[in-house]
Amino acid sequence: MTTDQQTTQTAADGQAAHHPHTDLWVERTGTRRYKGRSSRGAEVLIGSEDVEGVFTPGELLKIALAACTGMSSDRPLSRRLGDDYDATVRVSGAADRENERYPVLDEVLEVDLSELDDAAAERLLVVVERAIDAVCTVGRTIKAGATVNLAIETD
């Protein structure tokens, strides 16, 4: 893909011209094993739960949610706590195998606010929750639901 192709703005994706488009795809590497790739050079190993060293698609969904929560909370937390604060976002949720979905996903944002007094900590938590609700694209998509369009191309 050329740089011009990456930076072409399309109305469908709504990205500004200065944000390059990232292509994403998975390639089959074996029985129920795939490698997820991006045009930016990132890779992730994907497979079924019985395969060591891979993420399942459901685990990646949960990780995407946790990462989005962490990134959405980063600015307000770093403004108040400094750039070197530590945070962990844990995410869990059992699959409903009868309906093949995750009916509930639980997140826990772990961050040390002990240097703040109770009132300041409470104010910061309100700001953090608002930031996550406003800009976590993954969480907003899950909560709202999304239309998935599948096309199957054959040779």
Side-chain angles (χ1 to χ4, degrees), residues 64-76 85 89 109 131-132 135-136:
L65 177 62
C68 193
T69 294
M71 293 172 68
S72 298
S73 65
D74 197 77
R75 185 163 288 151
Y85 78 92
V89 182
L109 170 57
I132 293 166
V135 299
C136 179

Side-chain angles (χ1 to χ4, degrees), residues 5-90:
Q5 288 172 317
Q6 289 178 331
T7 58
T8 300
Q9 180 179 0
T10 64
D13 69 18
Q15 293 179 339
H18 65 280
H19 293 291
H21 172 77
T22 301
D23 290 323
L24 303 171
W25 68 97
V26 297
E27 297 171 351
R28 186 173 190 266
T29 60
T31 304
R32 298 192 43 84
R33 294 177 189 209
Y34 289 79
K35 184 179 284 188
R37 296 181 179 266
S38 84
S39 58
R40 293 191 335 268
E43 296 180 349
V44 63
L45 300 178
I46 308 162
S48 57
E49 218 169 4
D50 61 339
V51 177
E52 286 297 313
V54 302
F55 290 105
T56 68
E59 290 166 343
L60 288 173
L61 174 74
K62 294 175 195 176
I63 287 172
L65 177 62
C68 193
T69 294
M71 293 172 68
S72 298
S73 65
D74 197 77
R75 185 163 288 151
L77 288 171
S78 65
R79 247 192 327 256
R80 189 63 177 93
L81 303 176
D83 284 336
D84 62 343
Y85 78 92
D86 292 323
T88 300
V89 182
R90 300 192 187 280

Side-chain angles (χ1 to χ4, degrees), residues 102-149:
Y102 293 95
V104 177
L105 296 173
D106 295 307
E107 290 184 283
V108 177
L109 170 57
E110 299 171 355
V111 62
D112 182 1
L113 302 182
S114 62
E115 69 181 50
L116 305 177
D117 63 42
D118 289 346
E122 201 56 43
R123 284 190 306 273
L124 179 57
L125 292 176
V126 168
V127 171
V128 166
E129 285 184 32
R130 285 182 185 158
I132 293 166
D133 286 344
V135 299
C136 179
T137 306
V138 176
R140 291 173 59 83
T141 300
I142 291 170
K143 289 174 185 175
T147 300
V148 177
N149 301 308

